[in-house]
Structure formats: C-alpha cells, structure tokens
Amino acid sequence: MGFTQAVKTCLGKYAVFAGRAQRSEYWWFVLFVILVGIVLALLDTAIFGVDPETGEPVDVLNPLFHLAVLLPMLAAGWRRLHDTGRPGWYLLLPMALSVVSMFILFTGVAVFSVLESGADDPEALRGPAEFLGLTGVFVVLVLQLVLTVLMIWWLTRPSEEEANKYGPPVA
C-alpha cells in the first residue's frame, strides 16, 4: 500500500477499530500526520507569529489538526495491533500508566500534606516524601520507556499471514 492509499484508507476508516491494518498502511499514515504537523507548525508561526511574552510560537492550526486525527491514529494503531495478532487495547497501556501515575502522585501529595499538618515536626516527613516521590517518578519513567519501546516493537512486527481472530489478512 502506498502513501496516498494509506492516508485515504485511514481517514476513510476514521473510527473503525475492527479488522486489521497492514504495516504500510499504519506507518504511511504516521508519516502523513508528522509531515502535516510540521507544515502546520510552520504555518502557525508564519500566520500567528510568536508570543512576545514567552517567545514561543502561537499554535492554532497544528493542535486542531492533531485533535482531528487523534481518533483515526488510534483506530489505525488498534487495527495494526490486530494485524499482528494482539488486542488493540494494548495501545492504551502507556496512557493508562500515565493516568494511574498522576493519580498516585496526587494522592501521595495529599496524604503527606495531611500527615505534615498533624505532625509535631513536619520537616522530618520531607525526606521520606522526597525519596518516595523521586523513586516513584523514576520507576514510572522506566516503565513508560519500556512500554513505549514495546509498543513500537509490536507496531513494526510483520502481519500474520493467515486469518486470525480479528479477521482475514488485508489484501
């Protein structure tokens, strides 16, 4: 499958999570999203300029484009994992880890705030809180890296040649 056909297919299957997607279909679509994102970032800078306070470019078109292609990117990745014989929901693992990590982080901050307010010496709790926080962040970063590499590995695997539980191979 070529570049144009892959883009048409992925946009045509905007929210189709069933079935399978060839490796070329998925990666050509990823390249399309990256290239359009670069062009829109340049257009944003040319049209809207730079924020004088921060010196950062003003992004308008690029975030709108990425929001518009979020669902087809997710659907194409979902179908791509199906093509390798894996469940599509595996694509959500890195995001799920991030959500759980943020929940644990905010819970830890809340718990240590409550403990500090009731402690005779709140300074004694700061060392253990920092240690637990930094250790937790390090563990999450390592897990996130492992999940990201694993996801790229799965998305680059060859298609299963025969029909699998997600359907027949895409011709």
Side-chain angles (χ1 to χ4, degrees):
M1 177 176 295
F3 181 81
T4 306
Q5 184 61 36
V7 172
K8 286 180 184 178
T9 300
C10 287
L11 291 177
K13 295 180 177 181
Y14 195 87
V16 176
F17 290 84
R20 296 167 62 165
Q22 293 176 335
R23 188 168 29 182
S24 59
E25 175 185 333
Y26 177 74
W27 288 107
W28 280 125
F29 189 61
V30 168
L31 179 63
F32 164 76
V33 170
I34 290 170
L35 292 175
V36 172
I38 290 169
V39 168
L40 289 177
L42 295 172
L43 278 174
D44 276 341
T45 304
I47 294 171
F48 302 107
V50 175
D51 184 359
E53 292 179 13
T54 63
E56 296 288 322
V58 177
D59 289 331
V60 177
L61 302 174
N62 200 14
L64 290 175
F65 169 73
H66 284 287
L67 185 62
V69 295
L70 176 66
L71 201 53
M73 276 296 298
L74 187 60
W78 201 278
R79 292 191 316 272
R80 177 72 200 118
L81 285 175
H82 284 177
D83 195 45
T84 65
R86 292 171 183 83
W89 65 265
Y90 283 5
L91 199 61
L92 302 176
L93 289 175
M95 182 181 66
L97 177 63
S98 297
V99 170
V100 168
S101 301
M102 292 304 292
F103 176 76
I104 291 172
L105 178 70
F106 289 133
T107 302
V109 169
V111 166
F112 272 100
S113 295
V114 169
L115 289 175
E116 272 187 332
S117 65
D120 293 333
D121 184 17
E123 289 296 320
L125 292 175
R126 298 228 170 132
E130 286 176 13
F131 175 76
L132 286 174
L134 290 174
T135 303
V137 167
F138 178 75
V139 167
V140 167
L141 286 174
V142 169
L143 285 173
Q144 195 69 270
L145 178 65
V146 167
L147 277 176
T148 301
V149 169
L150 183 62
M151 197 59 54
I152 291 170
W153 173 257
W154 284 341
L155 290 168
T156 58
R157 295 300 80 217
S159 302
E160 286 190 341
E161 306 238 349
E162 65 283 339
N164 63 20
K165 63 182 176 181
Y166 303 106
V170 180

